[in-house]
Structures are given as structure tokens and as C-alpha cells.
Amino acid sequence: IASIHERIARQRKDFLHQESRRITNSWDAVVVEDLNLRAMAKTLNLGKSVADLGFGMLREFLAYKLKECGKHLVVIDRWFPSTKRCSRCGSVKEEIGLSERVYSCDQCGFQADRDHNAAINIRDEGRRMFLHAG
């Protein structure tokens, strides 16, 4: 059983190396959200499955590979309201439930997939931070 676990861990690590290399070769700057994965695993009752995905390892691989190539990793603060903010008008909702898979803005009427809306907000905040840093 231990050798099977070791083999799976090596496969995951190899995949993360390949994916981080592909991303590094494709982009000059990469924006990620600083997620508290431990709290997420406890809150969402996902337990070990969140840890098994290797998000932390992917971020580490991206950081050193981007740095080696003279490229940039921009990390968005975990408290930035990427999910609650409308990517079109910028208004922020007070609450949005996990079951709400479509983001609907009360101000401008914009509707989009919740994750797509958050990705746009993360990208835009990363651009702002990158340009502000000089």
C-alpha cells in the first residue's frame, strides 16, 4: 500500500511540475488567490481531498519557476472579495451562499458563473497590484 501511495504522490508531483512549466512558459505574470486551504478543508467538509489536490505545491512550483525566468507571481489577499464583487460594476454583495453557482448583480443586472466572475476579479486585482508595484 505504501508503494502505491508513493507512486500516486510522484505522479501528482510530476503533473504539477509539468503544469507549472506550461503556465510559466505561457505567461509573463500569473495571478493567484491566497487561499487558506486548511480552513477550507474543514469548513467545506472536504477534509483530505482539498489537501490531495496540491494547490500549495503548485503555487510553490510556479513561484520558483517564474522567478527563474524573470517573470512575476502576484498573490491576491485572501480577504479580497473576488466572489462577492461584480466584475462589471464593482458593487459588493454582503453575502453569497456556496449553493449559488450563478453570480447575479443587484446593481447592474450582470449575470455570470460564480467562478468565472471571481476569476475576472482576481485577474483585474492582480493587474492593478502589478501596475501599482511598478
Side-chain angles (χ1 to χ4, degrees):
I1 292 175
S3 64
I4 292 170
H5 283 290
E6 187 176 336
R7 181 172 176 259
I8 292 169
R10 278 197 222 119
Q11 286 176 331
R12 180 182 303 117
K13 193 172 183 180
D14 181 58
F15 170 77
L16 294 174
H17 271 297
Q18 289 180 26
E19 194 62 19
S20 62
R21 176 55 57 199
R22 185 188 67 74
I23 293 169
T24 299
N25 291 342
S26 299
W27 305 99
D28 292 330
V30 177
V31 181
V32 297
E33 191 174 23
D34 182 27
L35 298 173
N36 185 351
L37 297 174
R38 287 185 186 157
M40 185 185 283
K42 291 176 186 174
T43 304
L44 300 177
N45 296 321
L46 298 174
K48 194 174 178 202
S49 62
V50 170
D52 283 346
L53 295 175
F55 288 128
M57 194 180 298
L58 176 63
R59 186 170 149 188
E60 288 175 21
F61 292 169
L62 276 172
Y64 87 78
K65 288 177 183 177
L66 288 164
K67 188 174 182 179
E68 281 178 352
C69 295
K71 298 181 179 185
H72 305 278
L73 178 68
V74 181
V75 181
I76 303 298
D77 185 74
R78 70 178 56 167
W79 303 113
F80 177 73
S82 60
T83 304
K84 296 178 180 180
R85 174 174 282 164
C86 176
S87 60
R88 183 165 290 161
C89 72
S91 66
V92 179
K93 281 188 168 187
E94 289 295 319
E95 288 296 321
I96 185 167
L98 288 173
S99 62
E100 289 182 57
R101 299 312 308 161
V102 176
Y103 179 87
S104 298
C105 181
D106 300 330
Q107 301 294 320
C108 69
F110 175 70
Q111 287 191 338
D113 178 76
R114 170 195 176 122
D115 296 332
H116 183 75
N117 182 64
I120 293 169
N121 287 326
I122 291 167
R123 178 199 65 195
D124 292 347
E125 179 66 6
R127 283 180 179 166
R128 186 195 66 74
M129 289 173 64
F130 185 74
L131 293 174
H132 183 67

